[in-house]
Amino acid sequence: MTLILNEDEQMLADGAKDWADNEHPLSQFRAMRDAGKTWNPGLWRSLIELGYPAMGASLANDGLDLGGQVALIEPLGANLVATPLISAWVSALIDPQGTDLVSGKFSAFAWMEAGARGDRTASALVENGTITGAKQAVWDVDSAKAIVVSALYNGHLGLFRVAKADCTITALHRIDHRDTANVAFDGAPCTRLAGDEALLNTALDRATVALCAEMLGGMTSAMKMLVTYLCERRQFESAIGSFQAVQHRTVDCFIEIELARSTVLGAARDPTPANVSLAKARCSDAYVLLANEAVQFHGGIGVTDEHDIGFHLKRARVCSLTLGSSDWHRRRWAVEHGY
Amino acid sequence: MSDFRTELVAWLEENAPKSLHGTASSPFQGHWGGKSEFPSEDHRLWFERCLARGWTAPNWPKTYGGAELSLEDARVWQEELFKRHLPLPLVGFGLTMIGPILLAAGSEELKAAHLPGIVSGEVRWCQGYSEPGAGSDLASLRTKAVRDGDEFVVNGQKIWTSHADLSDWIFCLVRTNDEGVKQVGITFLLIPMNTPGITIRPIPLISGASPFCEVFFEDVRAPVANVVGQVDQGWKVAKALLAHERTMVGESIAAGGARAPILFTYTLRDHAIDVIGTDENGLRDAAVRDELVRSEMEMAAMKLTLERTKDRIRAGDQPGPESSIFKVVGTELNMRRWELALKIADQDALGWEGDAYSDRNIAMTRQWLRSRGNSIEGGTSEIQRNIIARRVLGLPK
Ligand SMILES: Cc1cc2nc3c(=O)[nH]c(=O)nc-3n(C[C@H](O)[C@H](O)[C@H](O)COP(=O)(O)OP(=O)(O)OC[C@H]3O[C@@H](n4cnc5c(N)ncnc54)[C@H](O)[C@@H]3O)c2cc1C
């Protein structure tokens, strides 16, 4: 196990970075937001043509390569590229029949319920081949072909595919402008899939690692914006980056990114629940810290809509509360280690 | 298992004395060489057996008594020792500070003169950098060396010199030139501690121990041949050495930190469970549990970062000024952990000595006091942050 990208992964990362910097600078995210959209079908199509969905799932022989996913996602996270890539990878695990990564066909995963605060339990109920219940903040419903739902069946947790036409879908308008929806089922016909609670946990843990990589990209990008501004902006006849109070807090941001990066690689190489929780707790807090500090050191311009740093502030907040907050993951880590 | 690991495990089985298993917690635990005595006959045996294989300096060249292990195998060597909580056969500033510098920048003569004595544990070294007027601003140092033929004549004072009283040699920064910027005109000089004119005075610490000293130089003569690098150009050598020191501090803390034997295998978790107890939700005090878990998770993240740095070095990267992050994170984390240990112990944490307090609690309290120096020694936390700000992030002066 090595905690740096191998040659293949590095190639993926370099390619994705070139693509993101050329085809999708942050201004593209702003344009999408201004147009009132939550994802960009043209962009998703070009990622499919580049083969990213398939590549992220095919590097290792078990088809579940997290190193490749981390390599691909980080540069996209840096430029806030809004695509259903992570959902597609999750779908390949929980709904292999309903997924074709080469054409970009996948099912969205509806697992979280109101009030669950990160817990993965379900109260949606399957009886007589139909499902009733409601799920919260489901990713990428708009771009998905179908929906996979976690629900109780004979007292056990199972996974079920439901057609989008049979659900009530309420698109959410959230601070990060991504494709997210609440989904409700009232006696909707459903198909039982092979997975159980263990698969649900595996899939969500892997999605968490990928999300951590996205956050790593986001915090690195916020850091870059911060350092650039500290060198440019002058007050008191000096660059503001020469003030020690500013320098030391910026160094602490850098340290947090370095630690976060190690935990993400650690989780990608060995995605045990404890390792995944270590990474998610660290990344959640680090991305939020980076965004907060970067806004602070931009002064007034930092809290305007005109400046891009606010996009990271909003995305960091969403990511930090998605797939379990840092508190949730610290609690899980504690249980895994017997505290 | 790699071939080397297989061979090593078999060798340890045969040669590592049973009484030494479970007696060490960090890379600072081991035989310091020089005048220091072996605590037991088994310690001596262990040292001599390792020495015979070149394993007191596992990755140094064989010419100087090392075993020339690859970085990978040297790591295996450490791992297998730590797994068994075996002490290192040899530790000290010779192995971890001056040795690597001589290997990288020393002349053949200096290497041949000094490396074998380090490997064999005969010579113990101390570090003469800081002075009363030159701490963080190390380059303002004033201990003067004036040339007289083939010798320098040294006058001045060093302070905070760890273990000067037990050392045989000192590597010293001296001023050989007063002109121009202060970083130029510093020379890196090696001096035997028994040279006439050197006086040593130990300084007691708040922990009650006295690991460091003042060192006075009065007309001390040292040959010009003892200069590492060039005369007046010692600053570069001095800084390279500090980078070694900083990574080493991080590694030591990740491996459990230097600590009294009574605390070797007693973890913060054991301590919390012993004192506070558990119920069905885990540790009975939720606030302590949260603080403890945060601390353990930070430790896990730092260990992974050290591993990642080693992986980068193996892949051909040079470690640079970012080694300062280990100094900052490692020491500040260690200090918070000892504070947490005290908080857990509550009233039992407040004893200095006496029968009212267990040996373990006294050791813990002393260790907390010792840890307060962690963010000062080897360059303070503030200075490390300055270094990262300027040299890693490129922030303006
Ligand atoms: C346990 C221990 C062992 C040691 N062993 C050795 C040894 O073996 N050999 C040796 O040579 N030295 C040794 N030292 C000395 C150590 O390197 C110095 O104490 C350290 O570099 C700080 O110098 P100072 O004590 O003069 O503090 P000062 O430099 O006076 O610093 C005082 C305070 O001011 C802050 N400060 C100073 N400059 C700045 C700045 N530019 N920006 C922000 N803050 C600043 C510092 O961070 C610190 O908080 C040891 C120290 C300790 C505690």
Side-chain angles (χ1 to χ4, degrees):
Chain A
M1 168 172 128
T2 141
L3 297 174
I4 52 177
L5 298 181
N6 66 29
E7 235 172 89
D8 290 342
E9 292 160 352
Q10 192 59 52
M11 255 165 57
L12 286 183
D14 293 345
K17 183 171 187 324
D18 279 349
W19 179 85
D21 287 346
N22 293 325
E23 306 297 321
H24 195 287
L26 262 174
S27 56
Q28 287 274 18
F29 175 78
R30 178 180 292 277
M32 184 192 85
R33 195 269 321 243
D34 289 348
K37 299 272 174 8
T38 58
W39 67 294
N40 178 336
L43 208 64
W44 180 224
R45 220 170 305 121
S46 39
L47 283 190
I48 291 166
E49 276 158 23
L50 283 165
Y52 285 179
M55 273 185 230
S58 67
L59 275 186
N61 44 20
D62 64 356
L64 299 169
D65 183 65
L66 281 173
Q69 293 183 9
V70 164
L72 280 173
I73 281 279
E74 184 186 339
L76 305 189
N79 292 5
L80 296 174
V81 178
T83 72
L85 201 46
I86 299 180
S87 288
W89 287 329
V90 170
S91 179
L93 271 174
I94 57 175
D95 185 10
Q97 268 92 46
T99 307
D100 177 13
L101 292 178
V102 175
S103 70
K105 178 181 152 204
F106 70 93
S107 301
F109 191 16
W111 59 274
M112 187 171 44
E113 298 188 356
R117 307 180 69 86
D119 283 347
R120 297 163 175 187
T121 47
S123 65
L125 202 61
V126 171
E127 275 171 333
N128 308 321
T130 66
I131 185 165
T132 300
K135 297 285 175 175
Q136 206 181 32
V138 184
W139 290 357
D140 304 314
V141 172
D142 202 30
S143 47
K145 284 279 178 295
I147 299 180
V148 171
V149 189
S150 60
L152 287 178
Y153 175 69
N154 287 341
H156 294 288
L157 206 144
L159 301 178
F160 300 85
R161 189 193 307 122
V162 186
K164 274 165 73 172
D166 295 326
C167 314
T168 310
I169 297 170
T170 312
L172 300 173
H173 190 166
R174 303 214 296 179
I175 51 178
D176 65 341
H177 302 282
R178 298 292 180 100
D179 177 4
T180 332
N182 288 347
V183 184
F185 324 90
D186 186 9
C190 61
T191 314
R192 175 136 204 233
L193 302 175
D196 54 4
E197 192 168 353
L199 183 68
L200 170 126
N201 280 318
T202 304
L204 291 181
D205 276 353
R206 283 168 185 268
T208 304
V209 176
L211 182 67
C212 285
E214 183 184 328
M215 297 166 84
L216 201 53
M219 63 183 99
T220 306
S221 160
M223 183 75 186
K224 216 179 199 168
M225 289 162 77
L226 170 58
V227 169
T228 306
Y229 193 70
L230 294 181
C231 294
E232 272 168 22
R233 170 74 177 165
R234 297 182 69 82
Q235 286 291 283
F236 301 99
E237 292 84 44
S238 323
I240 55 170
S242 66
F243 304 137
Q244 200 177 49
V246 176
Q247 289 186 343
H248 285 193
R249 274 165 66 176
T250 306
V251 166
D252 288 342
C253 288
F254 169 76
I255 290 175
E256 282 308 317
I257 297 182
E258 287 295 300
L259 294 180
R261 180 174 300 284
S262 314
T263 63
V264 175
L265 267 300
R269 298 306 183 210
D270 185 15
T272 61
N275 288 348
V276 172
S277 282
L278 182 70
K280 182 58 167 63
R282 198 101 220 149
C283 288
S284 294
D285 291 349
Y287 194 8
V288 166
L289 173 79
L290 254 294
N292 285 348
E293 295 290 74
V295 166
Q296 172 67 19
F297 292 137
H298 275 78
I301 189 88
V303 288
T304 63
D305 182 66
E306 182 191 334
H307 201 284
D308 288 340
I309 192 67
F311 291 144
H312 281 301
L313 186 83
K314 293 168 180 169
R315 183 63 182 158
R317 188 56 58 175
V318 171
C319 290
S320 77
L321 296 178
T322 296
L323 284 162
S325 67
S326 52
D327 286 340
W328 190 88
H329 282 284
R330 273 193 291 272
R331 276 197 296 274
R332 187 170 75 153
W333 192 94
V335 170
E336 290 289 322
H337 283 85
Y339 283 94
Chain B
M1 256 201 301
S2 70
D3 289 351
F4 176 69
R5 197 184 292 273
T6 316
E7 178 198 330
L8 177 61
V9 167
W11 186 84
L12 288 173
E13 197 65 38
E14 281 276 299
N15 293 281
K18 291 286 164 277
S19 70
L20 266 52
H21 285 73
T23 65
S25 74
S26 95
F28 278 142
Q29 250 102 43
H31 177 51
W32 283 82
K35 303 182 189 81
S36 43
E37 307 209 336
F38 292 101
S40 74
E41 200 43 42
D42 275 355
H43 282 85
R44 177 196 304 284
L45 255 177
W46 169 232
F47 171 81
E48 280 165 3
R49 286 172 180 166
C50 289
L51 180 62
R53 304 282 308 230
W55 287 346
T56 53
N59 57 347
W60 287 18
K62 290 189 172 151
T63 351
Y64 307 120
E68 248 173 81
L69 296 187
S70 64
L71 272 181
E72 186 64 48
D73 287 350
R75 172 152 89 162
V76 169
W77 156 253
Q78 271 209 354
E79 273 172 15
E80 292 299 326
L81 254 60
F82 292 160
K83 230 185 257 171
R84 296 165 176 74
H85 289 285
L86 280 165
L88 287 173
L90 186 65
V91 296
F93 295 1
L95 268 186
T96 51
M97 292 192 199
I98 185 66
I101 291 300
L102 288 178
L103 281 168
S107 64
E108 280 314 316
E109 290 75 25
L110 284 178
K111 285 193 236 183
H114 296 292
L115 297 179
I118 294 174
V119 176
S120 68
E122 278 156 59
V123 180
R124 179 165 177 176
W125 286 82
C126 62
Q127 177 186 28
Y129 275 27
S130 306
E131 297 179 6
S136 299
D137 184 11
L138 183 58
S140 68
L141 60 93
R142 292 207 314 248
T143 293
K144 219 173 168 62
V146 178
R147 189 147 179 176
D148 178 21
D150 289 343
E151 289 182 326
F152 278 116
V153 182
V154 183
N155 278 285
Q157 182 194 348
K158 295 289 172 184
I159 194 167
W160 321 130
T161 319
S162 296
H163 311 296
D165 49 343
L166 298 171
S167 296
D168 308 290
W169 280 72
I170 184 167
F171 53 91
C172 237
L173 296 179
V174 293
R175 177 142 316 273
T176 40
N177 197 329
D178 275 323
E179 274 150 43
V181 291
K182 60 190 174 188
Q183 283 81 3
V184 178
I186 291 172
T187 297
F188 196 107
L189 185 63
L190 313 178
I191 309 176
M193 289 300 274
N194 61 6
T195 314
I198 294 183
T199 320
I200 302 164
R201 197 177 69 84
I203 310 170
L205 298 188
I206 48 176
S207 63
S210 182
F212 61 23
C213 307
E214 287 176 286
V215 182
F216 301 91
F217 297 82
E218 247 188 277
D219 293 329
V220 171
R221 293 188 161 262
V224 173
N226 283 3
V227 170
V228 180
Q230 305 295 313
V231 172
D232 288 352
Q233 306 293 325
W235 185 243
K236 252 178 59 189
V237 183
K239 278 199 310 189
L241 187 139
L242 286 175
H244 283 284
E245 187 179 355
R246 284 162 193 163
T247 312
M248 190 184 69
V249 170
E251 286 194 343
S252 152
I253 287 165
R259 44 172 85 186
I262 194 164
L263 300 172
F264 279 162
T265 51
Y266 191 62
T267 63
L268 257 184
R269 177 170 174 270
D270 299 337
H271 177 45
I273 291 174
D274 281 0
V275 176
I276 296 173
T278 54
D279 57 23
E280 70 281 3
N281 297 317
L283 262 188
R284 218 179 293 139
D285 183 325
V288 168
R289 178 171 185 249
D290 183 58
E291 203 177 324
L292 181 57
V293 166
R294 281 173 192 265
S295 161
E296 298 289 4
M297 290 176 79
E298 185 161 345
M299 182 64 90
M302 186 175 89
K303 283 184 185 174
L304 284 168
T305 307
L306 280 162
E307 285 306 306
R308 185 161 65 83
T309 303
K310 286 189 188 158
D311 286 337
R312 284 177 45 203
I313 293 170
R314 258 194 300 265
D317 269 9
Q318 283 296 322
E322 69 273 13
S323 67
S324 285
I325 78 168
F326 297 121
K327 176 72 176 48
V328 174
V329 178
T331 56
E332 293 182 0
L333 175 60
N334 192 46
M335 292 157 79
R336 282 198 306 278
R337 288 168 71 83
W338 286 116
E339 293 193 313
L340 179 55
L342 261 57
K343 193 191 276 183
I344 291 168
D346 199 66
Q347 295 308 303
D348 292 335
L350 305 179
W352 176 256
E353 59 188 13
D355 294 341
Y357 301 96
S358 72
D359 290 349
R360 181 181 278 156
N361 276 322
I362 299 272
M364 220 176 262
T365 302
R366 299 293 180 104
Q367 210 76 61
W368 157 67
L369 286 165
R370 173 63 186 86
S371 77
R372 297 317 299 173
N374 290 165
S375 53
I376 300 168
E377 58 199 306
T380 68
S381 282
E382 291 73 34
I383 294 303
Q384 305 307 326
R385 285 188 170 86
N386 289 348
I387 293 173
I388 298 171
R390 305 251 170 75
R391 311 236 323 268
V392 182
L393 303 179
L395 292 175
K397 228 179 160 84

